[in-house]
Amino acid sequence: MEISSIDSFYDFLKLYTENTGNLIFRGVRNSEHKLIPSVGRIKRKDGNRLKVEDEKFLLNIFRNKGYPFIKDYKDDNLELLAIGQHHGLPTRLLDWTKNPLIAIYFAVEESFEDIDVTEFSRIYIHKALSKVRLNSVFDPFEINTVERFVPKHWDNRIIAQGGLFTVHNKPYEPWEPEELDSVLIHKDIRKAIKTTLNRFGINAGTVYPDLDGLTKHIKWLRSNIH
């Protein structure tokens, strides 16, 4: 499926709101971006990919240096990874949402200008075979398959975005499960979709419910006033 007009945008919404099931969505600006967690996209000084020991080292630095902010979760690696993910720490987590509107917003949020991209953004759609367990507990560094995880700390952004995570046992390789579909969004319709999403109440101010999100939304509004 390709979204190249507002009509096809509505067709997408109809398809994925009437048949939700156990679907989760992830929007990416560049259609060539694979499902590789952030820790799998960085390299060591020697040019090789990180090892599990390197991941644990990064998490321990975050645990120690960020203690005043994360002390309630200092002994929970899953929660720490989720918190770190939202603050830019390279992790083996990928962000997903249960809300297709949120996924589309992330796909069209940033401008295509001045960057080397294809003609399309992409929405990944994964259909899980079972519902995610809210109180699931496991060691993220000992898993042998991709697991889903809903954090307990529930910060405002996770709530606003209907967020959850996939935790990857092989974070240095693209995840390509059988139950994966995707939809392309043509670059020429991205601006119109973002404007339409704003009418639905999906914008930086609601996706990021804090002062940073509010000011980002105000800046976008100003640039779109005629």
Side-chain angles (χ1 to χ4, degrees):
M1 182 177 185
E2 179 182 320
I3 299 175
S4 55
S5 66
I6 292 299
D7 284 343
S8 54
F9 165 69
Y10 286 127
D11 288 340
F12 167 84
L13 292 182
K14 183 177 181 180
L15 177 62
Y16 287 105
T17 53
E18 291 183 352
N19 302 287
T20 54
N22 291 322
L23 298 180
I24 56 175
F25 304 84
R26 176 176 171 82
V28 295
R29 176 172 57 172
N30 186 337
S31 63
E32 294 183 354
H33 287 173
K34 304 297 184 181
L35 293 176
I36 302 176
S38 56
V39 78
R41 300 194 293 269
I42 61 176
K43 304 278 186 158
R44 296 161 52 100
K45 286 184 178 180
D46 59 10
N48 293 320
R49 68 189 188 186
L50 271 63
K51 299 178 180 178
V52 174
E53 292 75 15
D54 299 314
E55 290 185 64
K56 292 180 179 179
F57 178 70
L58 293 177
L59 184 62
N60 281 330
I61 293 176
F62 181 70
R63 188 196 321 269
N64 293 332
K65 300 294 186 181
Y67 180 81
F69 309 101
I70 50 87
K71 57 186 177 182
D72 292 338
Y73 304 100
K74 66 181 180 64
D75 297 320
D76 189 327
N77 283 344
L78 269 175
E79 290 292 335
L80 285 184
L81 284 176
I83 295 169
Q85 174 81 358
H86 272 293
H87 291 279
L89 182 72
T91 77
R92 57 176 52 209
L93 274 56
L94 280 178
D95 295 87
W96 296 78
T97 175
K98 293 175 283 186
N99 186 338
L101 290 173
I102 297 293
I104 292 178
Y105 177 82
F106 284 131
V108 304
E109 177 182 18
E110 299 297 338
S111 172
F112 261 10
E113 297 174 2
D114 302 323
I115 56 175
D116 183 19
V117 295
T118 66
E119 286 191 302
F120 298 96
S121 299
R122 188 183 297 273
I123 307 296
Y124 285 106
I125 304 132
H126 174 57
K127 184 174 183 179
L129 299 179
S130 61
K131 293 184 178 180
V132 62
R133 291 176 295 171
L134 293 180
N135 297 315
S136 181
V137 177
F138 54 88
D139 186 335
F141 301 110
E142 297 293 336
I143 56 177
N144 54 24
T145 188
V146 174
E147 301 281 356
R148 288 168 297 151
F149 170 61
V150 179
K152 298 175 185 175
H153 66 271
W154 283 107
D155 73 5
N156 289 335
R157 288 191 176 187
I158 293 175
I159 295 171
Q161 297 167 13
L164 69 157
F165 301 98
T166 48
V167 188
H168 293 253
N169 59 313
K170 297 179 180 179
Y172 321 107
E173 302 175 9
W175 186 44
E176 298 175 339
E178 292 184 2
E179 307 84 10
L180 185 69
D181 198 359
S182 71
V183 172
L184 295 173
I185 303 175
H186 195 274
K187 64 179 183 180
D188 291 342
I189 197 64
R190 296 171 83 257
K191 185 174 181 180
I193 288 176
K194 192 171 181 180
T195 300
T196 302
L197 287 172
N198 182 56
R199 297 193 184 103
F200 290 165
I202 306 295
N203 55 59
T206 56
V207 172
Y208 310 108
D210 51 33
L211 288 178
D212 290 339
L214 175 59
T215 54
K216 187 174 184 178
H217 179 51
I218 292 171
K219 182 180 179 180
W220 176 80
L221 283 175
R222 179 64 185 87
S223 67
N224 284 272
I225 293 175
H226 298 287

PDB file of all heavy atoms in Angstrom, residues 181-201:
ATOM      1  N   ASP A 181       4.417  -6.031   8.035  1.00  0.00           N
ATOM      2  CA  ASP A 181       3.956  -5.376   6.815  1.00  0.00           C
ATOM      3  C   ASP A 181       4.433  -3.934   6.865  1.00  0.00           C
ATOM      4  O   ASP A 181       4.924  -3.452   7.897  1.00  0.00           O
ATOM      5  CB  ASP A 181       2.424  -5.436   6.732  1.00  0.00           C
ATOM      6  CG  ASP A 181       1.921  -5.187   5.317  1.00  0.00           C
ATOM      7  OD1 ASP A 181       2.747  -4.945   4.415  1.00  0.00           O
ATOM      8  OD2 ASP A 181       0.696  -5.214   5.122  1.00  0.00           O
ATOM      9  N   SER A 182       4.313  -3.222   5.755  1.00  0.00           N
ATOM     10  CA  SER A 182       4.678  -1.808   5.764  1.00  0.00           C
ATOM     11  C   SER A 182       3.878  -1.047   4.721  1.00  0.00           C
ATOM     12  O   SER A 182       3.368  -1.628   3.755  1.00  0.00           O
ATOM     13  CB  SER A 182       6.182  -1.624   5.520  1.00  0.00           C
ATOM     14  OG  SER A 182       6.538  -1.922   4.188  1.00  0.00           O
ATOM     15  N   VAL A 183       3.777   0.248   4.951  1.00  0.00           N
ATOM     16  CA  VAL A 183       3.059   1.160   4.058  1.00  0.00           C
ATOM     17  C   VAL A 183       3.978   2.333   3.757  1.00  0.00           C
ATOM     18  O   VAL A 183       4.609   2.886   4.664  1.00  0.00           O
ATOM     19  CB  VAL A 183       1.753   1.655   4.716  1.00  0.00           C
ATOM     20  CG1 VAL A 183       1.106   2.742   3.870  1.00  0.00           C
ATOM     21  CG2 VAL A 183       0.789   0.497   4.922  1.00  0.00           C
ATOM     22  N   LEU A 184       4.055   2.716   2.496  1.00  0.00           N
ATOM     23  CA  LEU A 184       4.891   3.832   2.074  1.00  0.00           C
ATOM     24  C   LEU A 184       4.089   5.127   2.052  1.00  0.00           C
ATOM     25  O   LEU A 184       2.896   5.133   1.721  1.00  0.00           O
ATOM     26  CB  LEU A 184       5.475   3.570   0.686  1.00  0.00           C
ATOM     27  CG  LEU A 184       6.448   2.402   0.561  1.00  0.00           C
ATOM     28  CD1 LEU A 184       6.797   2.163  -0.903  1.00  0.00           C
ATOM     29  CD2 LEU A 184       7.705   2.659   1.379  1.00  0.00           C
ATOM     30  N   ILE A 185       4.742   6.235   2.391  1.00  0.00           N
ATOM     31  CA  ILE A 185       4.134   7.562   2.324  1.00  0.00           C
ATOM     32  C   ILE A 185       4.973   8.414   1.383  1.00  0.00           C
ATOM     33  O   ILE A 185       6.165   8.647   1.635  1.00  0.00           O
ATOM     34  CB  ILE A 185       4.081   8.243   3.703  1.00  0.00           C
ATOM     35  CG1 ILE A 185       3.317   7.379   4.711  1.00  0.00           C
ATOM     36  CG2 ILE A 185       3.435   9.620   3.596  1.00  0.00           C
ATOM     37  CD1 ILE A 185       3.330   7.946   6.116  1.00  0.00           C
ATOM     38  N   HIS A 186       4.372   8.867   0.294  1.00  0.00           N
ATOM     39  CA  HIS A 186       5.125   9.662  -0.684  1.00  0.00           C
ATOM     40  C   HIS A 186       5.469  11.027  -0.105  1.00  0.00           C
ATOM     41  O   HIS A 186       4.680  11.623   0.632  1.00  0.00           O
ATOM     42  CB  HIS A 186       4.323   9.827  -1.978  1.00  0.00           C
ATOM     43  CG  HIS A 186       5.148  10.312  -3.115  1.00  0.00           C
ATOM     44  ND1 HIS A 186       5.376  11.655  -3.352  1.00  0.00           N
ATOM     45  CD2 HIS A 186       5.845   9.633  -4.072  1.00  0.00           C
ATOM     46  CE1 HIS A 186       6.161  11.787  -4.415  1.00  0.00           C
ATOM     47  NE2 HIS A 186       6.453  10.569  -4.871  1.00  0.00           N
ATOM     48  N   LYS A 187       6.652  11.517  -0.468  1.00  0.00           N
ATOM     49  CA  LYS A 187       7.141  12.772   0.109  1.00  0.00           C
ATOM     50  C   LYS A 187       6.231  13.962  -0.211  1.00  0.00           C
ATOM     51  O   LYS A 187       6.149  14.915   0.575  1.00  0.00           O
ATOM     52  CB  LYS A 187       8.553  13.072  -0.384  1.00  0.00           C
ATOM     53  CG  LYS A 187       8.671  13.320  -1.881  1.00  0.00           C
ATOM     54  CD  LYS A 187      10.114  13.626  -2.270  1.00  0.00           C
ATOM     55  CE  LYS A 187      10.218  13.942  -3.753  1.00  0.00           C
ATOM     56  NZ  LYS A 187      11.612  14.254  -4.153  1.00  0.00           N
ATOM     57  N   ASP A 188       5.533  13.928  -1.337  1.00  0.00           N
ATOM     58  CA  ASP A 188       4.711  15.074  -1.742  1.00  0.00           C
ATOM     59  C   ASP A 188       3.451  15.239  -0.908  1.00  0.00           C
ATOM     60  O   ASP A 188       2.814  16.300  -0.955  1.00  0.00           O
ATOM     61  CB  ASP A 188       4.324  14.952  -3.224  1.00  0.00           C
ATOM     62  CG  ASP A 188       5.517  15.123  -4.155  1.00  0.00           C
ATOM     63  OD1 ASP A 188       6.548  15.669  -3.693  1.00  0.00           O
ATOM     64  OD2 ASP A 188       5.430  14.704  -5.325  1.00  0.00           O
ATOM     65  N   ILE A 189       3.067  14.195  -0.141  1.00  0.00           N
ATOM     66  CA  ILE A 189       1.838  14.278   0.652  1.00  0.00           C
ATOM     67  C   ILE A 189       2.139  14.450   2.136  1.00  0.00           C
ATOM     68  O   ILE A 189       1.225  14.644   2.954  1.00  0.00           O
ATOM     69  CB  ILE A 189       0.956  13.011   0.408  1.00  0.00           C
ATOM     70  CG1 ILE A 189      -0.494  13.238   0.862  1.00  0.00           C
ATOM     71  CG2 ILE A 189       1.553  11.798   1.116  1.00  0.00           C
ATOM     72  CD1 ILE A 189      -1.207  14.314   0.090  1.00  0.00           C
ATOM     73  N   ARG A 190       3.417  14.435   2.505  1.00  0.00           N
ATOM     74  CA  ARG A 190       3.785  14.472   3.927  1.00  0.00           C
ATOM     75  C   ARG A 190       3.272  15.741   4.616  1.00  0.00           C
ATOM     76  O   ARG A 190       2.741  15.691   5.729  1.00  0.00           O
ATOM     77  CB  ARG A 190       5.303  14.365   4.078  1.00  0.00           C
ATOM     78  CG  ARG A 190       5.859  13.047   3.598  1.00  0.00           C
ATOM     79  CD  ARG A 190       7.384  13.037   3.559  1.00  0.00           C
ATOM     80  NE  ARG A 190       7.930  12.733   4.882  1.00  0.00           N
ATOM     81  CZ  ARG A 190       8.439  13.628   5.694  1.00  0.00           C
ATOM     82  NH1 ARG A 190       8.483  14.911   5.355  1.00  0.00           N
ATOM     83  NH2 ARG A 190       8.922  13.255   6.872  1.00  0.00           N
ATOM     84  N   LYS A 191       3.442  16.893   3.995  1.00  0.00           N
ATOM     85  CA  LYS A 191       3.028  18.158   4.615  1.00  0.00           C
ATOM     86  C   LYS A 191       1.517  18.199   4.827  1.00  0.00           C
ATOM     87  O   LYS A 191       1.031  18.624   5.886  1.00  0.00           O
ATOM     88  CB  LYS A 191       3.479  19.336   3.752  1.00  0.00           C
ATOM     89  CG  LYS A 191       3.204  20.692   4.386  1.00  0.00           C
ATOM     90  CD  LYS A 191       3.796  21.816   3.544  1.00  0.00           C
ATOM     91  CE  LYS A 191       3.549  23.174   4.197  1.00  0.00           C
ATOM     92  NZ  LYS A 191       4.134  24.287   3.387  1.00  0.00           N
ATOM     93  N   ALA A 192       0.767  17.749   3.826  1.00  0.00           N
ATOM     94  CA  ALA A 192      -0.699  17.748   3.936  1.00  0.00           C
ATOM     95  C   ALA A 192      -1.162  16.781   5.018  1.00  0.00           C
ATOM     96  O   ALA A 192      -2.122  17.059   5.749  1.00  0.00           O
ATOM     97  CB  ALA A 192      -1.323  17.385   2.583  1.00  0.00           C
ATOM     98  N   ILE A 193      -0.474  15.657   5.157  1.00  0.00           N
ATOM     99  CA  ILE A 193      -0.829  14.696   6.206  1.00  0.00           C
ATOM    100  C   ILE A 193      -0.574  15.291   7.576  1.00  0.00           C
ATOM    101  O   ILE A 193      -1.393  15.154   8.494  1.00  0.00           O
ATOM    102  CB  ILE A 193      -0.040  13.382   6.018  1.00  0.00           C
ATOM    103  CG1 ILE A 193      -0.574  12.611   4.818  1.00  0.00           C
ATOM    104  CG2 ILE A 193      -0.125  12.521   7.288  1.00  0.00           C
ATOM    105  CD1 ILE A 193       0.192  11.357   4.505  1.00  0.00           C
ATOM    106  N   LYS A 194       0.551  15.980   7.725  1.00  0.00           N
ATOM    107  CA  LYS A 194       0.864  16.586   9.020  1.00  0.00           C
ATOM    108  C   LYS A 194      -0.183  17.634   9.399  1.00  0.00           C
ATOM    109  O   LYS A 194      -0.590  17.740  10.567  1.00  0.00           O
ATOM    110  CB  LYS A 194       2.257  17.218   8.987  1.00  0.00           C
ATOM    111  CG  LYS A 194       2.774  17.605  10.361  1.00  0.00           C
ATOM    112  CD  LYS A 194       4.232  18.030  10.298  1.00  0.00           C
ATOM    113  CE  LYS A 194       4.748  18.400  11.680  1.00  0.00           C
ATOM    114  NZ  LYS A 194       6.171  18.824  11.652  1.00  0.00           N
ATOM    115  N   THR A 195      -0.641  18.397   8.434  1.00  0.00           N
ATOM    116  CA  THR A 195      -1.692  19.382   8.684  1.00  0.00           C
ATOM    117  C   THR A 195      -2.992  18.693   9.078  1.00  0.00           C
ATOM    118  O   THR A 195      -3.697  19.131   9.994  1.00  0.00           O
ATOM    119  CB  THR A 195      -1.920  20.256   7.434  1.00  0.00           C
ATOM    120  OG1 THR A 195      -0.698  20.938   7.112  1.00  0.00           O
ATOM    121  CG2 THR A 195      -3.011  21.277   7.667  1.00  0.00           C
ATOM    122  N   THR A 196      -3.321  17.596   8.394  1.00  0.00           N
ATOM    123  CA  THR A 196      -4.533  16.846   8.713  1.00  0.00           C
ATOM    124  C   THR A 196      -4.444  16.229  10.107  1.00  0.00           C
ATOM    125  O   THR A 196      -5.420  16.255  10.872  1.00  0.00           O
ATOM    126  CB  THR A 196      -4.768  15.739   7.665  1.00  0.00           C
ATOM    127  OG1 THR A 196      -4.857  16.337   6.358  1.00  0.00           O
ATOM    128  CG2 THR A 196      -6.046  14.976   7.957  1.00  0.00           C
ATOM    129  N   LEU A 197      -3.280  15.692  10.442  1.00  0.00           N
ATOM    130  CA  LEU A 197      -3.092  15.128  11.783  1.00  0.00           C
ATOM    131  C   LEU A 197      -3.303  16.179  12.863  1.00  0.00           C
ATOM    132  O   LEU A 197      -3.876  15.901  13.924  1.00  0.00           O
ATOM    133  CB  LEU A 197      -1.685  14.533  11.907  1.00  0.00           C
ATOM    134  CG  LEU A 197      -1.423  13.229  11.164  1.00  0.00           C
ATOM    135  CD1 LEU A 197       0.060  12.879  11.235  1.00  0.00           C
ATOM    136  CD2 LEU A 197      -2.264  12.091  11.729  1.00  0.00           C
ATOM    137  N   ASN A 198      -2.871  17.400  12.598  1.00  0.00           N
ATOM    138  CA  ASN A 198      -3.074  18.479  13.568  1.00  0.00           C
ATOM    139  C   ASN A 198      -4.562  18.718  13.816  1.00  0.00           C
ATOM    140  O   ASN A 198      -4.973  18.982  14.944  1.00  0.00           O
ATOM    141  CB  ASN A 198      -2.401  19.759  13.069  1.00  0.00           C
ATOM    142  CG  ASN A 198      -2.545  20.903  14.053  1.00  0.00           C
ATOM    143  OD1 ASN A 198      -2.161  20.798  15.208  1.00  0.00           O
ATOM    144  ND2 ASN A 198      -3.116  22.016  13.588  1.00  0.00           N
ATOM    145  N   ARG A 199      -5.377  18.602  12.777  1.00  0.00           N
ATOM    146  CA  ARG A 199      -6.827  18.752  12.949  1.00  0.00           C
ATOM    147  C   ARG A 199      -7.406  17.623  13.787  1.00  0.00           C
ATOM    148  O   ARG A 199      -8.446  17.784  14.432  1.00  0.00           O
ATOM    149  CB  ARG A 199      -7.511  18.796  11.576  1.00  0.00           C
ATOM    150  CG  ARG A 199      -7.109  19.994  10.706  1.00  0.00           C
ATOM    151  CD  ARG A 199      -8.038  20.151   9.518  1.00  0.00           C
ATOM    152  NE  ARG A 199      -7.604  21.225   8.640  1.00  0.00           N
ATOM    153  CZ  ARG A 199      -6.972  21.060   7.475  1.00  0.00           C
ATOM    154  NH1 ARG A 199      -6.722  19.818   7.060  1.00  0.00           N
ATOM    155  NH2 ARG A 199      -6.613  22.078   6.746  1.00  0.00           N
ATOM    156  N   PHE A 200      -6.741  16.480  13.776  1.00  0.00           N
ATOM    157  CA  PHE A 200      -7.151  15.346  14.604  1.00  0.00           C
ATOM    158  C   PHE A 200      -6.594  15.449  16.024  1.00  0.00           C
ATOM    159  O   PHE A 200      -6.832  14.564  16.850  1.00  0.00           O
ATOM    160  CB  PHE A 200      -6.665  14.023  13.999  1.00  0.00           C
ATOM    161  CG  PHE A 200      -7.360  13.622  12.728  1.00  0.00           C
ATOM    162  CD1 PHE A 200      -6.822  12.639  11.913  1.00  0.00           C
ATOM    163  CD2 PHE A 200      -8.558  14.208  12.336  1.00  0.00           C
ATOM    164  CE1 PHE A 200      -7.449  12.244  10.746  1.00  0.00           C
ATOM    165  CE2 PHE A 200      -9.196  13.825  11.167  1.00  0.00           C
ATOM    166  CZ  PHE A 200      -8.643  12.850  10.368  1.00  0.00           C
ATOM    167  N   GLY A 201      -5.834  16.504  16.305  1.00  0.00           N
ATOM    168  CA  GLY A 201      -5.238  16.665  17.624  1.00  0.00           C
ATOM    169  C   GLY A 201      -3.922  15.943  17.799  1.00  0.00           C
ATOM    170  O   GLY A 201      -3.448  15.757  18.923  1.00  0.00           O
TER     171      GLY A 201
END
